[in-house]
Amino acid sequence: MTDTPAPSTAGDIEQAQRREIDTPSSHVARFGADDALALDAGSTLGPWQIAYETYGTLNAERTNAVLVCHALTGDQYVASTHPVTGKPGWWTMMVGPGKPVDTDRYFVICANVLGGCMGTTGPASLNPATGRPYALDMPVVTIRDMVRAQTRLVEHLGIETLFCVIGGSMGGMQVLQWAANFPHKVFSAIPIAAGARHSSQNIAFHEVGRQAIMADPDWRGGSYLSDGVRPSKGLAVARMAAHITYMSDESLHRKFGRNLQDREALTFGFDADFQIESYLRHQGMTFVDRFDANSYLYVTRAMDYFDLAAEYGGSLPQAFLHTDTRFCVMSFTSDWLFPTAESKAVVRALNAAAANVSFVEVASDRGHDAFLLDEPELFRTVRGFLTGAAHARGIPAPGGAA
Amino acid sequence: MTTNTRMLQPRGDHLVVCDLVPEGARVLDVGCEDGALLRLLAERRHVDGRGIELSQSGVNKAVARGLSVVQGDADTDLADYPDDAFDVVILSQTLQATRDPKGVLRQLLRIGGLVIVSIPNFAHWRNRMQLLLRGRMPVTKYLPYQWYDTPNIHFCSIRDFVALVDELDATVVKAVALSGRGERITFNAPWWLWNLVGEQAVFLLKR
């Protein structure tokens, strides 16, 4: 990992963002045109690359690798400083020495997803055929394509079986896809705040975001990077709408209520009178600094297309038949984007396949984003489940004993 | 497990169950609470164990200890499991709290090759005495609830249970009656005597 100093001025930030698209600060595995990736859309992608970070040490038996799958707009910097924003990794409470995903015990890998914009091939990457960014010439990718790309990386690192695949939200979808398609390569799996398909309501919210981006005059049919402009307003609106779905009414109310922002009275205009408005505008604006608009279109589409049962003739238990993977499914009581019922449907299917499954619902009022926040029950569960699985896999504890 | 090796004295009925489970079996414990029995079975019998528990707090405790447990209800969720999914299915002190004991027992026999059921014996002499002499519903150390707030809605006696097993065309392979202190009643006795002195009973059943 290289810790580059975080850029400070707006120009620096934009430059840093552009640099990270093709030449990230993290490790990159590059695959040539002869090593092309076959995609669900029917086309192939090559040459292509996948950017990743690792933490801890791979043991001699190569049995202690944990793949962390990031959510929609996450990246490979799970436990290291983000090169554009300068902020700490997105899951530092979960991943690190002595943390539930203990890097003293496990070798942790986190890669930027296919279609992303932090060093893995996506619509912002340079298309070698044209010398310009792919934009909409990039084939649409699916969760399965993302997982295929990850399998190539894992092979590249010389790892046959992952000790665990863990992730929340879109990361949880990848976990389920891994377990269904590659049961022999996944010893244990922790899908958090996810489901086996993207619901109609979730697709609807994503469509609002995509339409906001495409309605921005600076989007220019997707070719904004070549034209030297950016659909920042559209992308910010997309992020604002999505951000609401990540929280619960209760947490919003507790945090903001109807409090006014920097003023004593209503202005009877359309400034950000309320704190919640100003908070959302800030979320939208800072997001634009670190994310690419076309990439947002691609990754939301990948989630929309996700329907694991459909891959198995409409039967979800069929996806997990004869699996030896140990599952720990987790949900949060106030998550209305991926409510507990979605997780329970996965658990029922796993039971029907006689799989080894645990299910924990964490009581939290913080909505979908709870998986990224300080939730002791979440950490206790992941730590306990992984410790039990490590015992079964014969991975010694940091102290020495198994 | 390296952490938390604190071993409480195992419960008497758990020890009896433990003796009935074959080494290395695939086991489902229905109503596993915080997983104490599953843990005992993993340590002493090296089973591949799973659990179902109604209370989410019990589930979370068990999973944090590295056990495989899901939140679920014996009355509704056993239907999800395929035939012969497990070598042994255990229902420990839970049958009397189910809505449909007969249906639950039928599911257990479908899912497991062997079924172990432990029940509190409502026909124990102490209960009979309370009803006979005081005219009140029995409240004892093992049945500590008042009639209006008990989770136990379908009590039976040892003899009632054996009759139900007959009705389901299943076989009692082995039965052990336990005293109030959870100790085995070792002498051989006819059902009627066990029915009088057994405070709990553990049955090993097969289809």
Side-chain angles (χ1 to χ4, degrees):
Chain A
M1 304 139 253
T2 25
D3 277 347
T4 25
S8 47
T9 69
D12 284 352
I13 289 174
E14 197 174 327
Q15 214 177 9
Q17 199 195 354
R18 293 221 173 182
R19 184 187 63 231
E20 295 298 326
I21 288 169
D22 285 308
T23 53
S25 310
S26 64
H27 305 290
V28 191
R30 294 189 168 84
F31 299 88
D34 52 336
D35 239 347
L37 195 65
L39 302 175
D40 276 346
S43 43
T44 57
L45 188 65
W48 64 284
Q49 66 180 45
I50 183 164
Y52 65 99
E53 286 278 75
T54 69
Y55 311 83
T57 313
L58 187 62
N59 63 15
E61 301 79 27
R62 298 173 178 260
T63 55
N64 69 333
V66 174
L67 179 70
V68 176
C69 301
H70 70 70
L72 189 70
T73 65
D75 46 55
Q76 67 271 43
Y77 301 100
V78 56
S80 40
T81 308
H82 195 285
V84 178
T85 64
K87 287 186 179 158
W90 55 270
W91 228 9
T92 48
M93 276 183 285
M94 184 67 91
V95 179
K99 301 288 168 65
V101 181
D102 189 349
T103 51
D104 288 336
R105 190 174 201 179
Y106 314 118
F107 175 64
V108 174
I109 309 160
C110 185
N112 187 216
V113 293
L114 195 68
C117 56
M118 288 300 287
T120 299
T121 302
S125 306
L126 226 49
N127 180 351
T130 62
R132 289 200 310 269
Y134 273 106
L136 299 195
D137 288 341
M138 166 98 187
V140 164
V141 300
T142 63
I143 298 292
R144 185 157 61 169
D145 293 332
M146 293 175 178
V147 166
R148 278 194 190 112
Q150 289 163 351
T151 61
R152 301 289 290 276
L153 170 65
V154 169
E155 272 167 33
H156 169 82
L157 294 172
I159 294 159
E160 204 155 297
T161 305
L162 291 164
F163 166 60
C164 183
V165 184
I166 177 173
S169 195
M170 185 178 88
M173 290 178 167
Q174 293 162 54
V175 172
L176 293 171
Q177 188 83 56
W178 260 99
N181 292 167
F182 307 98
H184 305 302
K185 290 176 185 280
V186 182
F187 185 78
S188 66
I190 313 180
I192 306 171
R197 63 186 169 75
H198 213 220
S199 72
S200 173
Q201 191 182 30
N202 293 353
I203 296 170
F205 277 112
H206 275 174
E207 179 60 2
V208 170
R210 283 190 296 264
Q211 288 301 325
I213 290 168
M214 295 193 268
D216 189 320
D218 284 339
W219 182 60
R220 305 203 183 176
S223 71
Y224 55 89
L225 284 174
S226 305
D227 297 357
V229 291
R230 309 183 69 206
S232 301
K233 291 201 175 81
L235 182 58
V237 171
R239 178 61 169 185
M240 287 166 74
H243 199 86
I244 299 166
T245 70
Y246 302 151
M247 303 177 72
S248 70
D249 187 34
E250 202 175 336
S251 66
L252 280 176
H253 191 77
R254 190 181 52 233
K255 229 167 153 177
F256 307 107
R258 291 181 52 87
N259 298 339
L260 300 184
Q261 177 75 30
D262 302 328
R263 64 200 63 188
E264 300 295 314
L266 299 174
T267 61
F268 295 97
F270 296 101
D271 275 352
D273 274 4
F274 296 101
Q275 279 178 7
I276 178 63
E277 294 173 312
S278 145
Y279 169 79
L280 280 181
R281 287 181 189 192
H282 173 77
Q283 287 293 333
M285 261 153 44
T286 53
F287 181 61
V288 167
D289 287 341
R290 68 172 181 86
F291 215 82
D292 172 67
N294 281 340
S295 192
Y296 194 84
L297 303 182
Y298 277 78
V299 285
T300 54
R301 207 63 182 143
M303 281 183 86
D304 291 352
Y305 280 176
F306 186 65
D307 182 357
L308 196 54
E311 250 181 71
Y312 292 87
S315 158
L316 195 54
Q318 204 69 32
F320 303 114
L321 225 51
H322 311 302
T323 183
D324 284 328
T325 303
R326 302 159 75 101
F327 289 84
C328 181
V329 180
M330 297 190 72
S331 71
F332 298 92
T333 47
S334 57
D335 184 349
W336 54 279
L337 202 57
F338 288 94
T340 289
E342 301 277 329
S343 285
K344 288 207 99 170
V346 173
V347 172
R348 265 200 307 280
L350 286 166
N351 282 338
N356 186 331
V357 54
S358 296
F359 167 61
V360 165
E361 181 186 41
V362 175
S364 164
D365 68 359
R366 298 200 277 192
H368 182 63
D369 259 359
F371 79 94
L372 296 167
L373 303 173
D374 184 14
E375 291 288 351
E377 191 91 51
L378 165 71
F379 301 140
R380 259 200 301 279
T381 304
V382 170
R383 185 189 296 276
F385 174 77
L386 282 180
T387 304
H391 184 71
R393 187 88 172 115
I395 301 170
Chain B
M1 238 120 293
T2 51
T3 51
N4 198 4
T5 37
R6 165 191 71 98
M7 255 329 276
L8 293 170
Q9 187 58 35
R11 261 166 55 183
D13 59 324
H14 285 179
L15 288 171
V16 172
V17 169
C18 211
D19 284 347
L20 296 173
V21 173
E23 178 82 14
R26 287 171 305 149
V27 174
L28 177 67
D29 185 3
V30 181
C32 66
E33 298 178 327
D34 64 359
L37 175 59
L38 277 173
R39 218 177 145 112
L40 189 71
L41 287 169
E43 278 165 13
R44 301 208 177 170
R45 286 284 184 232
H46 309 105
V47 302
D48 174 11
R50 327 267 171 82
I52 304 179
E53 167 57 31
L54 193 58
S55 84
Q56 192 64 59
S57 65
V59 174
N60 295 13
K61 268 185 215 148
V63 177
R65 287 176 181 169
L67 300 166
S68 300
V69 177
V70 298
Q71 194 274 334
D73 183 339
D75 271 308
T76 52
D77 296 351
L78 290 173
D80 295 337
Y81 292 83
D83 296 356
D84 294 306
F86 295 91
D87 300 318
V88 182
V89 181
I90 299 166
L91 188 71
S92 171
Q93 306 284 336
T94 303
L95 190 68
Q96 74 282 358
T98 63
R99 242 181 354 262
D100 176 16
K102 189 175 175 183
V104 168
L105 203 54
R106 189 180 281 128
Q107 291 285 5
L108 298 176
L109 289 160
R110 179 184 66 78
I111 297 169
L114 292 173
V115 173
I116 299 171
V117 181
S118 75
I119 56 162
N121 175 25
F122 201 67
H124 185 259
W125 66 267
R126 207 173 277 129
N127 295 341
R128 297 189 195 198
M129 293 300 277
Q130 284 198 23
L131 199 56
L132 185 69
L133 297 180
R134 298 178 59 212
R136 300 283 304 269
M137 288 299 280
V139 178
T140 65
K141 187 176 151 211
Y142 286 93
L143 306 171
Y145 304 100
Q146 293 290 340
W147 63 272
Y148 49 81
D149 69 354
T150 177
N152 303 319
I153 51 180
H154 283 122
F155 271 125
C156 66
S157 68
I158 288 176
R159 294 184 89 170
D160 286 327
F161 182 77
V162 172
L164 177 60
V165 171
D166 275 349
E167 216 176 300
L168 288 168
D169 285 328
T171 316
V172 176
V173 180
K174 198 168 179 186
V176 181
L178 301 176
S179 74
R181 277 178 292 177
E183 287 158 351
R184 280 163 225 243
I185 300 173
T186 44
F187 57 84
N188 264 327
W191 285 126
W192 69 263
L193 188 56
W194 274 15
N195 205 28
L196 194 61
V197 299
E199 190 123 32
Q200 318 170 46
V202 180
F203 294 89
L204 176 65
L205 313 173
K206 68 171 192 190
R207 262 167 273 175

